[in-house]
């Protein structure tokens, strides 16, 4: 593994024309063709490449979460004059288990969140992920929000139609 890392650093990564990338793609495709059974599972992703970007410390821990607010925003103005809004975000992954994430918004974003968001609103949050331990010893997820977007459904969307059918 160290030899591979050293070689990658020596050639400056795996650019589009790099021979390792071509040989990997060719060998993967020829191996799947040799199997001869069924469609090629890599067919749609034969040229899918993970983009290499320079390390950027301020953005190394960004997450994007979409979920529903579990309660109305809790707005606090601190003695220092800073403004803070706490949000409880319910996020459902593919499993049926709901994960609760505490979201903190500061300053102007805190003002906007407190005024425009309410319980049950669906939002998208982009920010820094952190964990903390409660006094009882439980680990909790927390996001320091950089941007918050409210997701609105159009009146003719499928979800609106489902809700209308449920009400009948």
């Amino acid at each position: 593994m160290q030899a591979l890392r050293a070689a990658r650093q020596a050639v400056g990564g795996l650019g589009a024309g790099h021979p390792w990338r071509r040989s990997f793609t060719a060998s993967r495709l020829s191996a799947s063709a040799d199997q001869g059974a069924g469609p090629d599972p890599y067919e749609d992703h034969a040229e899918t490449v993970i983009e290499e970007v320079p390390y950027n410390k301020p953005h190394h821990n960004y997450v994007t979460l979409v979920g529903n607010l579990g309660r109305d925003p809790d707005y606090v103005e601190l003695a220092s004059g800073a403004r803070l809004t706490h949000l409880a975000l319910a996020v459902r992954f593919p499993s049926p288990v709901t994960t609760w994430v505490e979201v903190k918004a500061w300053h102007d974003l805190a003002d906007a969140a407190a005024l425009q968001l309410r319980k049950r609103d669906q939002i998208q949050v982009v920010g820094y992920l952190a964990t903390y331990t409660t006094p009882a010893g439980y680990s909790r997820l927390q996001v320091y929000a950089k941007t918050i977007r409210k997701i609105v459904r159009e009146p003719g969307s499928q979800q609106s139609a489902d809700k209308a059918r449920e009400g009948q």
Side-chain angles (χ1 to χ4, degrees):
M1 190 57 127
Q2 286 181 321
L4 177 61
R5 283 190 196 127
R8 284 188 70 195
Q9 287 176 346
V11 297
L14 298 177
H18 195 279
W20 288 357
R21 176 172 289 152
R22 280 192 306 251
S23 64
F24 172 74
T25 303
S27 65
R28 184 173 63 185
L29 290 176
S30 64
S32 62
D34 292 341
Q35 293 172 354
D40 180 8
Y42 297 110
E43 185 175 35
D44 294 338
H45 304 289
E47 294 301 320
T48 301
V49 176
I50 297 174
E51 181 183 5
E52 293 181 2
V53 296
Y55 180 73
N56 187 353
K57 185 165 179 82
H59 297 103
H60 77 282
N61 201 18
Y62 261 24
V63 294
T64 301
L65 298 174
V66 175
N68 297 319
L69 292 179
R71 64 173 189 259
D72 285 337
D74 181 23
Y75 181 80
V76 178
E77 191 163 335
L78 304 176
S80 64
R83 300 163 323 271
L84 171 66
T85 297
H86 295 272
L87 305 169
L89 186 66
V91 179
R92 293 189 90 187
F93 298 102
S95 69
V97 177
T98 300
T99 300
W100 289 93
V101 179
E102 179 184 343
V103 178
K104 290 186 176 186
W106 291 88
H107 310 296
D108 293 338
L109 188 57
D111 296 338
L115 292 172
Q116 299 174 23
L117 300 176
R118 294 290 168 252
K119 181 179 179 177
R120 295 187 195 92
D121 283 346
Q122 188 174 29
I123 62 170
Q124 176 190 40
V125 176
V126 178
Y128 299 105
L129 180 66
T131 59
Y132 68 97
T133 305
T134 64
Y138 297 103
S139 180
R140 300 282 188 235
L141 289 176
Q142 181 172 290
V143 173
Y144 293 95
K146 287 296 187 187
T147 61
I148 298 175
R149 294 184 178 122
K150 186 175 179 179
I151 299 172
V152 293
R153 302 283 181 192
E154 295 179 13
S157 71
Q158 180 62 36
Q159 189 175 23
S160 297
D162 292 343
K163 284 186 179 181
R165 249 183 274 129
E166 289 174 4
Q168 291 178 351

